[in-house]
Amino acid sequence: MRMGVIDVGSNTVHLLVVDAFWGAHPIPASKHKVDLRLFDYMDEKGAISDEGSARLLGFVRECLDVAEDYGVEALMGFATSAIRESRNGDDILERIRKETGVELKVLPGADESRLTFLAARRWFGWSAGRLLLVDIGGGSLELASGLDEDPDVALSLPLGAGRITREHLAGDPPKPAQVKKVRKMIRAEIAKVMRDLNKVGVPDLYVGTSKTIRSLARLTGAAPSGEGIYTRRTLARDDLKEVLPQLAAMPQAKRAELPGVSATRSLQVLGGAMVVEAVMDLAGIEELVVCPWALREGVILQQLDLIPAP
């Protein structure tokens, strides 16, 4: 079966098309995305503007055309923190449903964490033992830990790379005192949930997903994407600590010249690095192993589980 999933994230909106069959792993067939940055369209009252809503609607229509061109039989869609927190998110999704027929499901933060954990578990397999997952998006940070496919604990915190940058790291680059203040805030928020993670057992493998973590791994020496998804990539805490002061001192234009940091991610890579480094410090993580599968794959895998065996 050829399946498609529309992922309305805080930074980008993706369409992933895969060939998926019962008992087999999903094989990517096509990708289509736009850097929409929905939080940038949100006003002071927490509502997404008409322009932002129109751009999202237009992209969903594009996705329908792409899905038709690629012979997609089943199309799913979901939205994460930007729509979840928007005052008019339900109205936007209802308009999309009426005008396109596409029903985008709003994922609660815990479900976002749980489904990303499922993707990591399937990627690494049972032999990896207990996993601790770190996933950072534009609007939220997801943490999960467990031994089975459904984690024992699945958490979502409002510490996304885009959110931290937008709300707390003004300036290009931000002032050192500002960075110090944000560092303290991030660590205080993460420390509040460490007991929930620690009480379920000591992980055997620490896993990182998301574009931000892949970028940080590349920045600190991991193999480029051209070497394929099966190449092992890691992010070491000591390496991240070494590059953090450099990122904090750089203007956005200089960050965009670094390996693994795209122009669209250069603004928020500092905020993302600060969050990831704080998690690694507080959880005692020396190294994250990068997982190429994340939330979109988790949604597809969950759907595949509903298909009866032939």
Side-chain angles (χ1 to χ4, degrees):
M1 175 187 294
R2 181 152 282 193
M3 301 174 64
V5 57
I6 300 173
D7 170 4
V8 181
S10 301
N11 287 323
T12 57
V13 185
H14 287 80
L15 168 68
L16 175 64
V17 177
V18 300
D19 289 321
F21 301 92
W22 188 90
H25 71 279
I27 302 171
S30 176
K31 291 182 180 181
H32 183 54
K33 74 172 183 177
V34 63
D35 290 304
L36 188 53
R37 300 187 181 277
L38 281 173
F39 271 126
D40 290 347
Y41 292 96
M42 194 174 289
D43 62 25
E44 65 278 0
K45 294 182 180 179
I48 293 173
S49 68
D50 291 342
E51 181 185 358
S53 175
R55 286 199 64 197
L56 177 57
L57 175 62
F59 183 75
V60 172
R61 286 185 172 133
E62 286 180 28
C63 289
L64 285 174
D65 292 338
V66 173
E68 181 179 341
D69 289 344
Y70 278 89
V72 169
E73 301 172 63
L75 183 64
M76 303 171 289
F78 65 89
T80 55
S81 59
I83 293 291
R84 189 166 65 227
E85 298 174 23
S86 172
R87 188 168 56 85
N88 59 339
D90 289 342
D91 294 336
I92 292 172
L93 297 187
E94 179 61 17
R95 180 186 175 191
I96 290 172
R97 187 191 66 79
K98 286 182 177 179
E99 297 193 23
T100 69
V102 175
E103 187 164 352
L104 296 173
K105 178 183 178 182
V106 177
L107 287 181
D111 285 355
E112 190 176 342
S113 181
R114 180 179 60 81
L115 288 167
T116 306
F117 184 90
L118 171 64
R121 167 57 71 198
R122 294 281 178 92
W123 181 267
F124 289 106
W126 297 112
S127 64
R130 180 176 295 278
L131 302 182
L132 189 148
L133 172 84
V134 182
D135 175 86
I136 179 169
S140 60
L141 165 72
E142 275 66 52
L143 301 169
S145 184
L147 187 61
D148 298 321
E149 292 197 334
D150 193 41
D152 297 321
V153 58
L155 307 169
S156 182
L157 304 176
L159 296 175
R163 186 195 301 270
I164 292 295
T165 304
R166 185 180 60 259
E167 296 181 359
H168 303 288
L169 290 174
D172 188 23
K175 295 179 181 179
Q178 189 178 4
V179 173
K180 183 177 180 180
K181 180 180 179 181
V182 175
R183 180 181 185 273
K184 180 179 179 181
M185 180 275 295
I186 289 170
R187 287 169 176 259
E189 291 301 309
I190 294 171
K192 293 176 183 177
V193 302
M194 287 311 304
R195 180 180 179 276
D196 295 323
L197 290 173
N198 291 333
K199 69 182 181 182
V200 299
V202 178
D204 300 296
L205 183 68
Y206 298 93
V207 176
T209 69
S210 76
K211 177 62 176 177
T212 294
I213 288 179
R214 292 198 302 272
S215 295
L216 293 172
R218 177 73 184 102
L219 178 60
T220 56
S225 59
E227 293 192 17
I229 63 172
Y230 296 109
T231 299
R232 190 176 189 271
R233 296 173 175 87
T234 61
L235 174 62
R237 181 173 62 179
D238 288 345
D239 292 340
L240 184 55
K241 282 182 176 294
E242 185 175 334
V243 302
L244 247 178
Q246 301 169 37
L247 289 174
M250 284 182 185
Q252 180 183 352
K254 286 293 184 182
R255 293 181 203 146
E257 298 174 0
L258 298 171
V261 181
S262 65
T264 56
R265 298 275 174 171
S266 57
L267 178 63
Q268 64 181 46
V269 69
L270 171 61
M274 292 174 68
V275 173
V276 175
E277 190 255 354
V279 173
M280 295 180 78
D281 251 0
L282 293 171
I285 303 171
E286 296 295 333
E287 180 181 81
L288 286 172
V289 180
V290 179
C291 177
W293 280 3
L295 178 58
R296 285 185 294 278
E297 288 79 10
V299 169
I300 291 170
L301 290 166
Q302 183 184 60
Q303 188 67 24
L304 280 175
D305 288 345
L306 302 177
I307 298 174

